[in-house]
Amino acid sequence: MTVETRVLVNGQWTGRNMSIEHILAHNRGNDATVRQDQAPELPKPPRLGLLTRTLVPSPVTRWILPGRIRHEDKNDVLFVSETSIEIKELVDDGYLKDSGIRKDFASRIRSAKILGETRKYTSKPSLSGIDAIVIKDEEIGSPNVTRRHQQDVPPQMLALALERRLLIIIFALQDEWDQTQFISSCQPLPAQRSFSEELGKHMAVDPRSRVMALAASETSITLYELKTIGEIRTEVESNGNVNEDRFRPIRKERHLAIKGAILKMEFLYPPKGDEGLVILLVVISRDGWTRLVRYEWDDSTDLQQIELNKTCRQVSRAEQIPLLLIPLAITTGFVLVCEKKMFIYRDVLTGSSTPEEVQLGEGYPDQLEEPGSSRRLPVWTHWARGFRNMHWTSQNDGVFLCREDGRIQWMVFPDASMPVMQSKAGSLGINLNSAFASLDSGPYGNDLLVAAGDTSDGGLWLFAPCKNEPHTEKKQSIPNWSPLVDCAVQHNNPKSKESSSMTAQLTAIQRSGERLFACIGRGTGHGSVSEIRYGLEAQSSAKLDLLDVSELGILGVWVMPDFEDFGACLLVSDPTQSRLLHISGVVDESNPDSKTSSEDVSGSCPGLEFEERSLSAICTKSGLVIQVTEKSVRATNNISESQFVRRFETGKIIAASVHGSLQAVLIAVSDTANTYLYCGVFEYNGSQISLRELTSPISMSSVPSSLALHDDGGRLHAFVGTLSGTLQVLRIDKGETFSLVYKHQFLEDFAVCDSIAIICKQKGHTSHFDHLLLCGLRNGSLQIFTLENWGELSLDLAFGYSETIFIGNTSVTVIPDKASAGSPERLSSKAFLLCEQYFCRLEYPPNQSTIHPALIQSIWLTDCNEPEFQQNHVTGIAQSDEWVSNNGLGPTADSLICVEGLHLHIAILDSSSKPRAVPRRVAVGGTPSRVTYSVSLNKLIVGHVEIKVKEHRRANGQLPMPKRRLLQPTIAFIEPTKSLPLSTTQRQAICRPGDKILGIVEWLPSEGDKSWRKLIVNTLEAGTGSRPDTGCLYFFDMAVTDTGEVRLTSRRELKRDKPVFAVAPYGTSSLVHCTGNDLVLEKLSDKRWQKLSTYKLRSPGTHVSMVESFIYVTTMRESVHIFQVENDTLVSRFGDSQARNGLHHLTIPEQSVTMASQMNKRIIGLWQPPREATTNSTSVLFEASLPGSIIRFAHGFMKPPWRAHNTRKIDAIIGMSTDGSMYQLDMLDEASWKLLRFIQNMALHNPTICPLSSINPPRGHIDPCPKGWHQLPPDKMQVDGDILLRLLDLGRPTDRSLLESMLAQEPDHERQSIDFDSAQARQERFAEIVREALEIKAGEDPIEAAMLYIREMLQPVL
């Protein structure tokens, strides 16, 4: 018996018939015809791991829930997504501030509700506003109301039902380190009897939070009797602390069976006088009819023993598909909201069973705001109860209804004697879903509405009542970059990408900072190409034009007081003059669109000099304004109009520093022969200002380039940077002269110190601080030194540890962040850095155990009314001290005044905010599907669909026919570095309406001396009826006009009988494309296409790329198939041994690895051997599981310079999902993988890092590679960076504390697969792995080395 097989003969695979005996003999090594020395030893695949980290979580929000789950004075708003909850606080200036996030559920959230005490207001005017005090029912009217301690149980909590069959009830506290600490209680849910049951899909909470109900999609309801907040406080609070182990909010539970599919479920308000009654209303569908099922019982009886009164009622045909179920608060009733009508049921216990029918949407047209965006009418998606004062809410029930096209309806349901009132509340201009809420702005404030947006940005809106139309003001934007369908990287230097050294310092600076763009959003007004930026968002609340102030550019800005009017003043300086601008927030009720304005008031302040450039200025706490110009030192007090002026007619002031608390000034004066340092203190006796010199002037041997004056608790020091590349520290002895205590020489080229600042770093959440000297150098680097003996008056200052960070290519400006100081007497803990296009903030996390490394985050200015705003170079910033702002109407300490080009921004930068995605949206006028970056044009080429509505042609006298909708494929060319509105974007229609763009490729073919610049567009042409889908390849010439516009000319089409799913250039004149199930190679010769080869694939190809001589193809049923071209023929070389549903791939040729993503949320790493082996199957090196499927890989040098220079890899790999989530991917060698996996395995058993691990304890080895193991499954080669991030964030008092405690953990013999007999054995094995991975020296701390490596590997790549 023989079988047909394939053997390698002379480098070619051929078919042979071989007997089974021959095959078996060959496998046993006894085949005499095969000599072992003829088969060369094949290379073994490397052992590589994959570190995955969630770089940007999905912006998709399912629910927005106002709830004070931290403290009664904290106006919290909870954003609940698929897998996490985020707490934002509504602060007094009407903005949402980040306050905390929890994302360790490891499961999808099915439903969420707020439970606890109901918020009440007093009638006292002093308690109005956003931060009104919460008062319980019995405390209303009490003269003495005290706020609860920050560590007490809050009045409200959050309930979550997880897909992993868990019910979690959560509240939060601010711990002693001012960090949000979540306290939770877990309750297992009943076992799911069928796949479609989904227990927890519906959740409802009784209005008095006595009972909570969880319902499945059908047949099952579970009731939970809850303890009161007072009972919970009694149980869990002990000695001012909260004991999480005692937090058990559920008293009893009971299960109900119900027939039918559950559509809606809510608790109704009990009737007045019978508050003990509990009423549960369930809307079900059974036998084609919708029914209302009502359960009633008394809360004084045991839940498990009580008999439930059940009532069932069938609704009319008009009420068959209710969209919303709204309980009424002033009566025992509810409202069923349908598509066009709502049905009001009042007094359901005693009243009429016939509902009141009301037409919905009065004043609104039926069509969408964007005509043609949908074929159906918009529907109502959610509701929110408005916050009002107690008197109004006792007689009325106000509800906001939101429609999916962004329109808002205000509904008022009075008692039965009055009709329902409804009015337009305006339009948000976004797409809406269930993430909508009305926020608590106090009993006397205007309405605040917040929405997350569906396939569009969300925001926070202020609705103010006006006489004619309600006024809508967008206060804040909430970005949403989903759905994400494609991405492109703008390369800085693509020509040298393959030949450049990956470790060279020059390459790190030049190649870093490449920009990432993505196609996001849907619809005419929301589709865009967004630049995905990462860092801190500074939301611009006012933008002022400085062109009338100066055409030369502003060099400095300082905040000054305004003693005569509301607002504040800004002193700005250009190279030749200074100006004083009055900034006021205009409050005009008759003009809702009034904005912040500025006025030049230089003539009204005679105490300042405006004809010279200002070098430094400050306003002290006593009201003294000090100004240093190039010719004078001045001080003035506007109240008494006292002035002091000292001019230097023969010299010029070249550098200056002013100390606000001491009212001291340090200047460097240069004349024709020498340069001197002067230092003095201003004194003010109430009527006269004088300057007292502290020391006699000192002559400098080198010209100063920067000055800084600091006090270390009794001693005054001058820090002087010079043009000779030195940094001198001079002690200022009162009554004597300057004395040199330290001198440092910078050794790098152009290392002139142009900027100096001192900040402090808290030592691991203790009362001790390290003091750091920051020096911004002219060569684009920042040098950081520790200041030894700071505050030790008996010892001289000395420099300690030094760290160099590369920021850019020009001079670095360092400015302390006043908002992080807390008071003017304290040093700042953060600093701003300005260098070229980079605007960032430097800080050290309080729990970081070492000085290195500094944490630097980019800062991005945003404007909620200008989403395409492109931030230019920020040349100056200023912050206001608390005493500068008058009556709270001017800039505060949290405000950031930024000079950006010829504009001045007053922005809000939350000092406690965490870095996140800050997208910049460029509208394209349609739904984008593909984007690519053109190297030759330096433009983004975007393929999108524009929706056009056209009238049907009709003859005279005929009835009007319905409009028709056209989906027009269009190409847009976008400047990636400019802020261009949609009206100026170059757009050009291509191909036929209805076609779908599947790919865009720039092609630069050449033939002989001729070359062309072409654009290839591959499409799908939808079939109709029996005609199948077809495809086409479009070829356009791209011509650039004199004005810089790009025109597509000379279109050529190649029709194909199947859709063309992917295309890629091959060589200089050939193309390879996936058409249907075929992989086709075609060549352009003499302006004609010649089909060279066709290879039949098992499924349609979704992505094709070429690296070196190999062609990589991902198909719908295969991860990666690798081809080569031999003699103009496609030859299969390698492929995955397992069939997988492929999406995308990325090849890393340096390591012969191809990453492939799959539809089941997994990534695999395939190793391609250097030559053909006995099998053409690639080896699977690693397999990683992610929360979402990766639809695109982005590879480039996207790290900013400060991260690219100090890391082992400067390139970055990002995986992107449709829901907007992005994942950072890093391949690890075996030793690094072993170290990180060892730490992860320990963290999985730690309840602080993985709090839900106690419910399902993990099993497995701590040691990822025990001795004697030679082969590991690919899924064990993943390291979850999100778990390691929790290790860094949750460590108290330092980030290494958790790792130390895990290594000191004695083995738990009740668990299986324990590797070590003692904690000492675990520590010894850990030290061995650290030495192997990091090659540390003898005596170095392995824990500290591991923590430093983790911090480096988890740095974001954007």
Side-chain angles (χ1 to χ4, degrees):
M1 180 179 178
T2 61
V3 295
E4 184 178 355
T5 186
R6 292 170 62 84
V7 296
L8 186 64
V9 179
N10 297 327
Q12 297 290 333
W13 290 99
T14 60
R16 291 284 181 84
N17 291 327
M18 303 181 66
S19 65
I20 294 181
E21 291 81 4
H22 183 82
I23 295 174
L24 294 176
H26 176 75
N27 293 338
R28 290 192 300 265
N30 296 327
D31 188 359
T33 61
V34 180
R35 296 177 53 187
Q36 294 183 0
D37 56 359
Q38 290 180 347
E41 183 179 357
L42 297 175
K44 295 182 179 180
R47 180 175 290 182
L48 298 177
L50 184 68
L51 173 63
T52 62
R53 181 215 156 172
T54 303
L55 176 64
V56 176
S58 172
V60 178
T61 302
R62 300 188 64 189
W63 303 283
I64 299 178
L65 305 173
R68 297 175 183 252
I69 71 166
R70 289 185 302 160
H71 191 267
E72 57 191 6
D73 293 343
K74 301 289 186 181
N75 199 348
D76 292 334
V77 183
L78 286 82
F79 286 67
V80 183
S81 68
E82 288 277 348
T83 57
S84 65
I85 58 171
E86 184 177 5
I87 302 177
K88 295 179 182 289
E89 182 181 357
L90 184 64
V91 294
D92 53 3
D93 52 1
Y95 285 85
L96 292 172
K97 181 181 76 171
D98 296 338
S99 298
I101 186 171
R102 180 168 180 180
K103 49 187 177 181
D104 56 5
F105 300 110
S107 174
R108 178 176 171 268
I109 299 174
R110 282 180 173 166
S111 57
K113 288 288 184 180
I114 294 292
L115 54 89
E117 298 174 352
T118 305
R119 177 163 166 75
K120 302 291 184 181
Y121 298 102
T122 69
S123 58
K124 296 181 180 180
S126 61
L127 297 180
S128 64
I130 292 178
D131 288 330
I133 299 176
V134 181
I135 302 177
K136 292 188 246 182
D137 296 344
E138 62 269 20
E139 295 174 335
I140 295 177
S142 175
N144 297 319
V145 179
T146 59
R147 299 181 178 181
R148 298 186 61 82
H149 191 268
Q150 292 289 335
Q151 289 292 318
D152 291 344
V153 175
Q156 294 179 323
M157 301 178 183
L158 174 67
L160 301 173
L162 303 185
E163 199 172 54
R164 59 186 298 184
R165 294 193 298 108
L166 283 178
L167 173 62
I168 300 182
I169 299 179
I170 301 174
F171 67 91
L173 303 172
Q174 297 298 115
D175 60 19
E176 56 186 310
W177 300 289
D178 199 29
Q179 301 294 314
T180 301
Q181 176 188 2
F182 290 94
I183 307 297
S184 60
S185 174
C186 299
Q187 176 81 13
L189 296 179
Q192 189 166 305
R193 291 171 292 182
S194 65
F195 178 77
S196 61
E197 190 176 20
E198 297 183 357
L199 183 60
K201 182 179 180 180
H202 303 280
M203 180 185 293
V205 178
D206 174 65
R208 297 176 61 188
S209 295
R210 299 164 294 178
V211 183
M212 178 172 57
L214 280 183
S217 57
E218 57 184 9
T219 69
S220 176
I221 298 177
T222 303
L223 301 177
Y224 295 93
E225 184 178 342
L226 304 176
K227 299 176 183 178
T228 65
I229 296 297
E231 291 174 328
I232 295 174
R233 286 179 180 144
T234 303
E235 292 177 357
V236 304
E237 293 179 2
S238 175
N239 298 324
N241 297 318
V242 173
N243 189 339
E244 186 173 7
D245 295 335
R246 297 180 180 177
F247 180 39
R248 297 292 181 266
I250 296 177
R251 183 180 286 114
K252 295 178 181 179
E253 66 178 86
R254 179 174 178 177
H255 305 285
L256 302 178
I258 188 170
K259 295 182 179 180
I262 300 174
L263 304 180
K264 304 289 178 182
M265 181 178 67
E266 290 286 355
F267 282 93
L268 303 184
Y269 285 78
K272 294 181 180 180
D274 193 8
E275 284 76 12
L277 186 64
V278 181
I279 309 170
L280 175 64
L281 179 68
V282 185
V283 182
I284 66 171
S285 177
R286 187 175 72 238
D287 301 330
W289 285 90
T290 300
R291 292 174 169 83
L292 305 177
V293 181
R294 190 175 73 241
Y295 297 91
E296 305 166 18
W297 68 93
D298 192 276
D299 65 349
S300 61
T301 311
D302 192 326
L303 179 64
Q304 295 177 341
Q305 305 296 328
I306 193 173
E307 293 186 5
L308 302 178
N309 297 324
K310 179 179 177 182
T311 306
C312 184
R313 179 182 184 275
Q314 183 173 295
V315 301
S316 64
R317 283 293 184 184
E319 308 170 63
Q320 283 301 301
I321 308 178
L323 302 174
L324 303 172
L325 171 60
I326 306 174
L328 296 177
I330 63 171
T331 180
T332 306
F334 59 92
V335 180
L336 288 181
V337 178
C338 298
E339 187 171 353
K340 294 183 179 180
K341 298 179 180 180
M342 62 180 177
F343 300 87
I344 306 171
Y345 291 79
R346 304 178 189 269
D347 298 325
V348 296
L349 300 181
T350 59
S352 172
S353 60
T354 303
E356 177 185 354
E357 183 176 330
V358 177
Q359 192 74 24
L360 265 176
E362 289 186 2
Y364 282 133
D366 289 336
Q367 68 270 15
L368 292 165
E369 284 196 345
E370 297 180 5
S373 59
S374 177
R375 293 181 178 179
R376 65 178 183 83
L377 298 177
V379 298
W380 304 96
T381 60
H382 204 59
W383 66 278
R385 185 163 274 117
F387 286 92
R388 293 292 188 274
N389 59 68
M390 291 182 58
H391 176 72
W392 191 90
T393 55
S394 64
Q395 301 176 5
N396 300 275
D397 195 1
V399 172
F400 287 101
L401 289 182
C402 68
R403 211 165 70 170
E404 61 182 346
D405 61 348
R407 286 168 172 152
I408 308 297
Q409 190 88 350
W410 170 245
M411 311 292 299
V412 178
F413 301 94
D415 54 29
S417 61
M418 299 291 291
V420 176
M421 295 178 291
Q422 57 177 318
S423 60
K424 294 190 299 182
S427 175
L428 305 184
I430 63 172
N431 299 328
L432 286 174
N433 55 12
S434 58
F436 171 80
S438 171
L439 302 187
D440 182 2
S441 60
Y444 306 99
N446 291 322
D447 292 310
L448 281 174
L449 298 182
V450 60
D454 182 22
T455 70
S456 65
D457 281 349
L460 177 66
W461 286 267
L462 174 67
F463 278 78
C466 293
K467 294 182 179 179
N468 299 324
E469 291 288 336
H471 168 61
T472 305
E473 179 187 355
K474 190 172 185 179
K475 299 282 292 182
Q476 186 177 0
S477 179
I478 300 176
N480 179 10
W481 50 93
S482 69
L484 191 153
V485 294
D486 198 12
C487 66
V489 177
Q490 180 191 6
H491 298 294
N492 289 337
N493 188 14
K495 294 183 179 179
S496 62
K497 181 176 181 180
E498 296 182 0
S499 60
S500 60
S501 172
M502 302 292 286
T503 58
Q505 172 183 327
L506 183 61
T507 300
I509 299 298
Q510 292 179 346
R511 295 301 313 276
S512 60
E514 293 182 343
R515 303 164 67 187
L516 177 64
F517 293 86
C519 291
I520 66 172
R522 290 176 182 168
T524 303
H526 310 299
S528 65
V529 171
S530 290
E531 180 183 359
I532 306 299
R533 307 175 300 186
Y534 188 83
L536 306 174
E537 181 181 11
Q539 302 178 38
S540 178
S541 59
K543 182 179 179 181
L544 305 176
D545 194 350
L546 297 177
L547 186 61
D548 296 335
V549 179
S550 173
E551 298 181 355
L552 302 178
I554 301 300
L555 299 180
V557 58
W558 301 269
V559 180
M560 297 287 110
D562 182 9
F563 298 103
E564 299 179 355
D565 199 357
F566 293 133
C569 289
L570 298 179
L571 178 66
V572 297
S573 175
D574 69 6
T576 62
Q577 63 179 356
S578 302
R579 285 290 179 266
L580 187 66
L581 304 179
H582 178 258
I583 308 297
S584 63
V586 179
V587 181
D588 187 357
E589 295 294 340
S590 62
N591 182 17
D593 296 327
S594 58
K595 301 294 182 181
T596 301
S597 61
S598 65
E599 179 185 1
D600 191 341
V601 294
S602 302
S604 63
C605 188
L608 299 180
E609 175 62 54
F610 299 106
E611 299 303 321
E612 300 171 2
R613 173 195 171 191
S614 295
L615 300 180
S616 182
I618 199 171
C619 176
T620 68
K621 193 171 185 179
S622 63
L624 195 67
V625 177
I626 303 173
Q627 180 195 20
V628 181
T629 68
E630 291 181 331
K631 284 291 185 179
S632 65
V633 176
R634 294 172 174 266
T636 182
N637 188 313
N638 279 2
I639 295 179
S640 62
E641 297 183 355
S642 301
Q643 299 181 21
F644 173 88
V645 180
R646 179 174 180 179
R647 294 191 62 84
F648 297 85
E649 299 293 348
T650 61
K652 178 181 179 182
I653 302 177
I654 59 176
S657 176
V658 182
H659 195 292
S661 299
L662 300 179
Q663 300 185 161
V665 60
L666 174 69
I667 60 174
V669 182
S670 177
D671 56 21
T672 56
N674 297 297
T675 301
Y676 298 92
L677 283 184
Y678 292 84
C679 184
V681 174
F682 282 99
E683 296 178 344
Y684 176 60
N685 59 10
S687 61
Q688 187 177 3
I689 302 174
S690 61
L691 177 63
R692 177 174 57 88
E693 292 189 2
L694 293 178
T695 63
S696 57
I698 183 177
S699 177
M700 300 293 296
S701 60
S702 180
V703 177
S705 57
S706 59
L707 297 177
L709 190 62
H710 285 281
D711 176 26
D712 69 339
R715 296 179 303 184
L716 200 59
H717 288 87
F719 295 82
V720 183
T722 67
L723 294 179
S724 61
T726 63
L727 177 67
Q728 302 179 25
V729 182
L730 305 173
R731 185 174 64 246
I732 302 174
D733 299 318
K734 297 181 180 180
E736 300 180 5
T737 185
F738 295 90
S739 57
L740 181 66
V741 297
Y742 194 85
K743 183 177 181 179
H744 176 79
Q745 178 70 51
F746 298 104
L747 302 178
E748 297 83 2
D749 296 334
F750 306 103
V752 176
C753 182
D754 284 335
S755 182
I756 303 172
I758 295 179
I759 64 173
C760 61
K761 174 198 175 296
Q762 191 174 4
K763 290 185 177 180
H765 290 297
T766 64
S767 59
H768 303 286
F769 292 86
D770 289 317
H771 295 84
L772 308 171
L773 177 67
L774 311 182
C775 299
L777 305 186
R778 194 167 294 181
N779 60 8
S781 64
L782 175 72
Q783 287 209 6
I784 305 175
F785 304 91
T786 57
L787 292 177
E788 308 293 342
N789 307 326
W790 182 272
E792 300 290 338
L793 301 184
S794 60
L795 301 173
D796 287 334
L797 284 181
F799 285 12
Y801 173 81
S802 174
E803 178 185 4
T804 301
I805 304 174
F806 291 89
I807 306 298
N809 296 311
T810 61
S811 181
V812 179
T813 302
V814 187
I815 304 173
D817 180 8
K818 291 183 180 180
S820 64
S823 65
E825 292 79 15
R826 290 181 53 186
L827 288 172
S828 301
S829 60
K830 304 173 185 177
F832 297 109
L833 307 177
L834 306 179
C835 181
E836 295 181 308
Q837 73 271 28
Y838 299 110
F839 175 31
C840 42
R841 190 179 72 183
L842 177 145
E843 64 176 306
Y844 289 88
N847 70 332
Q848 187 167 305
S849 56
T850 60
I851 297 298
H852 177 75
L855 180 61
I856 301 178
Q857 301 291 352
S858 298
I859 298 176
W860 302 102
L861 291 170
T862 62
D863 189 341
C864 64
N865 298 313
E866 189 182 350
E868 70 275 5
F869 170 71
Q870 171 64 48
Q871 175 178 306
N872 294 318
H873 294 191
V874 177
T875 57
I877 61 173
Q879 289 173 290
S880 171
D881 295 302
E882 294 179 359
W883 57 85
V884 173
S885 173
N886 187 16
N887 291 337
L889 294 181
T892 63
D894 289 333
S895 297
L896 191 65
I897 293 90
C898 304
V899 177
E900 179 255 344
L902 291 177
H903 295 92
L904 186 142
H905 298 264
I906 300 178
I908 298 175
L909 177 64
D910 182 11
S911 59
S912 61
S913 63
K914 301 296 182 182
R916 53 190 173 91
V918 187
R920 180 179 72 93
R921 300 178 67 112
V922 181
V924 296
T927 301
S929 58
R930 292 295 181 267
V931 61
T932 187
Y933 172 67
S934 171
V935 176
S936 60
L937 299 175
N938 190 25
K939 292 180 183 290
L940 293 170
I941 306 177
V942 185
H944 63 281
V945 175
E946 293 187 358
I947 302 175
K948 298 181 179 180
V949 179
K950 292 189 176 182
E951 298 281 353
H952 276 284
R953 295 181 180 179
R954 57 189 179 90
N956 294 334
Q958 292 183 354
L959 294 175
M961 299 181 64
K963 298 177 181 180
R964 58 193 182 101
R965 184 178 67 162
L966 296 181
L967 305 179
Q968 178 61 59
T970 307
I971 293 293
F973 296 90
I974 297 176
E975 292 278 358
T977 58
K978 295 183 179 180
S979 302
L980 297 176
L982 176 61
S983 58
T984 61
T985 302
Q986 305 173 39
R987 294 179 289 172
Q988 187 170 341
I990 61 169
C991 56
R992 285 170 290 276
D995 291 356
K996 183 178 181 181
I997 298 176
L998 299 181
I1000 300 175
V1001 177
E1002 183 189 24
W1003 188 34
L1004 305 175
S1006 62
E1007 185 177 358
D1009 297 334
K1010 298 180 180 180
S1011 60
W1012 299 269
R1013 180 190 291 151
K1014 291 185 176 292
L1015 181 69
I1016 306 174
V1017 180
N1018 53 294
T1019 66
L1020 178 149
E1021 300 178 3
T1024 57
S1026 60
R1027 185 171 68 86
D1029 295 343
T1030 59
C1032 187
L1033 282 169
Y1034 291 91
F1035 298 86
F1036 300 91
D1037 288 333
M1038 293 188 292
V1040 182
T1041 65
D1042 296 337
T1043 60
E1045 294 185 357
V1046 181
R1047 299 294 183 186
L1048 298 180
T1049 60
S1050 62
R1051 184 180 78 173
R1052 185 177 180 183
E1053 303 178 13
L1054 287 182
K1055 293 285 188 179
R1056 293 293 180 262
D1057 58 354
K1058 298 290 184 182
V1060 183
F1061 293 104
V1063 62
Y1066 183 83
T1068 59
S1069 59
S1070 299
L1071 289 177
V1072 58
H1073 57 84
C1074 297
T1075 300
N1077 284 26
D1078 295 334
L1079 179 66
V1080 183
L1081 176 65
E1082 297 193 57
K1083 183 177 182 180
L1084 179 62
S1085 179
D1086 296 331
K1087 298 183 179 181
R1088 293 185 178 181
W1089 285 101
Q1090 178 184 1
K1091 185 179 292 187
L1092 300 180
S1093 178
T1094 301
Y1095 189 95
K1096 197 71 174 178
L1097 302 171
R1098 296 180 181 177
S1099 59
T1102 58
H1103 178 53
V1104 58
S1105 65
M1106 191 193 75
V1107 177
E1108 297 175 348
S1109 62
F1110 291 96
I1111 299 171
Y1112 297 81
V1113 181
T1114 292
T1115 71
M1116 295 181 180
R1117 297 182 183 177
E1118 293 175 294
S1119 55
V1120 175
H1121 204 157
I1122 305 173
F1123 297 86
Q1124 273 187 312
V1125 178
E1126 293 184 357
N1127 300 325
D1128 293 337
T1129 303
L1130 291 167
V1131 179
S1132 175
R1133 291 302 187 201
F1134 304 99
D1136 192 358
S1137 59
Q1138 182 177 344
R1140 312 173 199 265
N1141 296 328
L1143 287 174
H1144 203 253
H1145 70 257
L1146 173 67
T1147 301
I1148 301 96
E1150 296 84 3
Q1151 296 176 290
S1152 300
V1153 174
T1154 300
M1155 287 189 189
S1157 61
Q1158 307 166 42
M1159 299 181 73
N1160 61 351
K1161 305 180 182 180
R1162 289 182 175 271
I1163 293 177
I1164 61 171
L1166 301 174
W1167 179 71
Q1168 177 183 337
R1171 59 179 181 274
E1172 283 185 311
T1174 56
T1175 177
N1176 61 354
S1177 296
T1178 54
S1179 300
V1180 180
L1181 301 179
F1182 52 79
E1183 185 173 356
S1185 179
L1186 297 174
S1189 298
I1190 301 300
I1191 63 165
R1192 289 293 184 271
F1193 289 102
H1195 184 209
F1197 297 82
M1198 294 169 280
K1199 295 181 180 179
W1202 52 88
R1203 295 195 188 114
H1205 176 74
N1206 294 325
T1207 54
R1208 307 184 183 193
K1209 289 182 59 179
I1210 66 172
D1211 60 331
I1213 301 174
I1214 298 177
M1216 315 180 84
S1217 295
T1218 305
D1219 63 357
S1221 56
M1222 304 178 195
Y1223 304 94
Q1224 183 174 318
L1225 309 173
D1226 289 288
M1227 286 192 294
L1228 305 170
D1229 57 39
E1230 183 178 1
S1232 300
W1233 163 81
K1234 194 183 302 181
L1235 170 61
L1236 297 181
R1237 184 73 191 199
F1238 188 99
I1239 299 174
Q1240 175 186 320
N1241 291 345
M1242 289 191 298
L1244 290 173
H1245 295 80
N1246 187 280
T1248 302
I1249 301 175
C1250 299
L1252 302 182
S1253 61
S1254 59
I1255 300 173
N1256 296 312
R1259 296 183 179 183
H1261 293 271
I1262 298 295
D1263 193 341
C1265 191
K1267 295 182 179 180
W1269 286 35
H1270 302 289
Q1271 187 174 0
L1272 294 172
D1275 59 347
K1276 296 296 184 182
M1277 304 304 293
Q1278 178 189 8
V1279 176
D1280 191 343
D1282 294 337
I1283 295 178
L1284 300 182
L1285 275 174
R1286 288 180 233 153
L1287 172 70
L1288 297 179
D1289 295 339
L1290 300 177
R1292 299 291 185 273
T1294 64
D1295 54 3
R1296 60 177 288 166
S1297 302
L1298 273 176
L1299 181 57
E1300 290 176 334
S1301 64
M1302 292 189 299
L1303 290 171
Q1305 181 73 34
E1306 292 294 337
D1308 185 357
H1309 296 288
E1310 295 180 355
R1311 294 184 177 178
Q1312 299 179 0
S1313 303
I1314 296 300
D1315 306 85
F1316 311 103
D1317 296 332
S1318 63
Q1320 182 180 357
R1322 178 183 296 186
Q1323 295 168 4
E1324 292 175 353
R1325 177 58 176 159
F1326 174 77
E1328 177 185 347
I1329 294 177
V1330 172
R1331 287 192 295 269
E1332 178 186 352
L1334 306 181
E1335 300 179 355
I1336 62 175
K1337 300 178 182 179
E1340 290 189 34
D1341 186 359
I1343 296 180
E1344 195 57 57
M1347 295 302 299
L1348 182 63
Y1349 179 66
I1350 293 174
R1351 286 195 291 264
E1352 176 185 326
M1353 292 300 296
L1354 295 181
Q1355 284 285 327
V1357 297
L1358 289 178

